[in-house]
Amino acid sequence: MKRRKFLKNSTLSTAGILSATLLTSCKEQEPLKKSTINTPPIKPIAICTWNFLNATAKAWEVLNAGGNSLDAVQQGVMVEEADTTNQTVGVGGRPDRDGNVTLDSCIMDKNGNCGSVVYLQNIASPVSVARKVMEDTPHVILAGKGAEQFAYEKGFKKTNLLTEQSKKEWLEWKKTSEYKPIINIENHDTIGMLAIDKNGDISGACTTSGMAYKIGGRVGDSPIIGAGLFVDNEIGAATATGVGEEVVRTVGSFLIVELIRQGKTPQEACEEGVKRIIAKNKDNTDFQIGFIAINKKGETGSYCIQPGFTYRSYSKEGHINIPSKSYIKS
Ligand code: ASP
């Protein structure tokens, strides 16, 4: 049975509802040294967590036609929200332990405007609702029933998000309610996307069904501005995938953008972001976090804890899947 790869044992134990299997760690650890690795500056560009090539292809289509980065990131991640075979985002996402699919998403534009939805049910495109929150309300975050009601008022249709496949796997999981997390078995997860348009303006979006079989009501980092996503159009942007609790604790994406402001390259900033998480988890690094970042020049970087994380990039230089350097070596 396939299981979500990004479940941190200690988090689950603390929840007191699930027994977790500790993974033994005998892997070589890479010293966190200053990196000289960087990508050449190019723009426009769209990058996203993992190998979501259809999402970056869509974002590039928007950018290449002269569209703005906000439309590019929204339309890019919407591709994954609509893909029922993707069990970590949107329709078809894995449910919580009670069988409810609850979605988290946020979006941020060049002016620092942002919108977010958390614990949203029955709506197929949470990023589009998040954009409406940003553009049509004086608020930043709408949650649960209020967010759902707001979506209906904006014309979104009620949709069953639980596919037969995800339901089948959840029913199977319920037989033991036990996690045996296997890191990076599935090569996809939360999608966070960052883009720069032809005017040089940066936007970002992030969308997820969150941790599979989570406690009902749990919200991760992905819809939290500063944690799962942050954009500062003067400096750059960052987004995250992985165990959201750890990203929230370090306000990971905001931290990375601030490090870029202080002169680090996106690569160096992502490495420092992961290092902060490692520092808080010295006894157990058997979980995954992946960051990607971009600066105003269009230079990109990424770093993760476990090997296996990649990010997609689409620019005039091509459409490529870039393996991320990792703190732990395979
Ligand atoms: N960051 C997401 C969350 O914690 C999950 C993931 O990226 O795997 O909800």
Side-chain angles (χ1 to χ4, degrees):
M1 177 175 53
K2 279 190 170 183
R3 295 199 189 277
R4 191 72 177 267
K5 62 188 170 295
F6 269 176
L7 301 171
K8 186 191 172 192
N9 294 315
S10 61
T11 305
L12 300 170
S13 308
T14 309
I17 54 160
L18 305 161
S19 65
T21 304
L22 284 173
L23 300 173
T24 49
S25 180
C26 53
K27 301 163 193 163
E28 182 197 338
Q29 295 187 345
E30 184 197 27
L32 285 161
K33 57 182 185 301
K34 209 171 164 171
S35 170
T36 50
I37 293 178
N38 216 342
T39 51
I42 31 176
K43 60 184 170 189
I45 183 170
I47 61 172
C48 76
T49 54
W50 302 103
N51 190 16
F52 291 120
L53 74 168
N54 295 328
T56 37
K58 183 67 199 179
W60 178 252
E61 192 185 304
V62 174
L63 294 172
N64 202 33
N68 65 49
S69 57
L70 188 65
D71 289 337
V73 294
Q74 180 190 359
Q75 290 183 38
V77 302
M78 279 173 70
V79 171
E80 292 307 318
E81 290 181 332
D83 182 353
T84 55
T85 65
N86 180 342
Q87 292 179 281
T88 57
V89 179
V91 186
R94 292 195 179 85
D96 64 17
R97 65 177 179 174
D98 305 316
N100 299 312
V101 181
T102 70
L103 305 178
D104 297 333
S105 179
C106 70
I107 192 161
M108 195 162 183
D109 76 6
K110 62 178 181 176
N111 296 316
N113 298 313
C114 45
S116 160
V117 287
V118 306
Y119 195 72
L120 179 64
Q121 291 177 261
N122 302 314
I123 302 292
S125 179
V127 74
S128 302
V129 184
R131 184 164 176 179
K132 291 281 183 203
V133 173
M134 176 175 83
E135 292 179 340
D136 296 358
T137 82
H139 308 306
V140 168
I141 305 175
L142 290 183
K145 283 287 167 214
E148 190 178 339
Q149 184 56 38
F150 171 76
Y152 296 141
E153 283 164 19
K154 290 292 167 186
F156 291 85
K157 298 276 170 288
K158 184 166 185 166
T159 307
N160 174 26
L161 303 178
L162 186 62
T163 56
E164 279 310 311
Q165 183 62 25
S166 287
K167 186 174 176 184
K168 206 170 109 193
E169 292 179 17
W170 166 65
L171 290 172
E172 190 63 31
W173 171 82
K174 282 222 300 179
K175 289 180 185 165
T176 55
S177 298
E178 185 183 47
Y179 283 103
K180 288 184 180 164
I182 305 168
I183 295 162
N184 292 330
I185 287 296
E186 303 161 278
N187 196 21
H188 57 79
D189 217 275
T190 292
I191 180 165
M193 180 177 280
L194 312 171
I196 304 183
D197 58 32
K198 69 173 188 330
N199 296 324
D201 290 323
I202 311 172
S203 301
C206 190
T207 184
T208 189
S209 51
M211 196 179 271
Y213 318 131
K214 60 199 173 189
I215 298 175
R218 181 264 185 190
V219 171
D221 62 315
S222 306
I224 308 299
I225 299 296
L229 174 74
F230 195 71
V231 175
D232 183 329
N233 197 35
E234 287 179 16
I235 304 299
T239 188
T241 180
V243 176
E245 283 73 6
E246 297 305 321
V247 179
V248 169
R249 272 181 200 130
T250 51
V251 200
S253 293
F254 179 75
L255 169 67
I256 287 168
V257 173
E258 286 304 296
L259 290 167
I260 297 173
R261 185 193 305 278
Q262 289 166 20
K264 289 201 185 306
T265 64
Q267 179 64 34
E268 290 166 346
C270 287
E271 291 184 16
E272 178 63 22
V274 166
K275 185 179 166 186
R276 298 285 176 96
I277 291 172
I278 297 290
K280 290 192 190 320
N281 292 277
K282 290 199 180 75
D283 298 333
N284 177 18
T285 52
D286 285 327
F287 62 98
Q288 179 65 300
I289 300 286
F291 286 115
I292 63 170
I294 196 162
N295 65 11
K296 193 68 179 167
K297 290 188 276 184
E299 297 170 328
T300 66
S302 77
Y303 203 63
C304 56
I305 298 178
Q306 309 287 341
F309 174 59
T310 67
Y311 71 106
R312 264 274 158 191
S313 173
Y314 206 147
S315 70
K316 284 206 165 62
E317 305 296 308
H319 193 196
I320 45 174
N321 189 34
I322 304 170
S324 177
K325 286 183 74 187
S326 56
Y327 174 72
I328 291 171
K329 297 298 185 191
S330 49

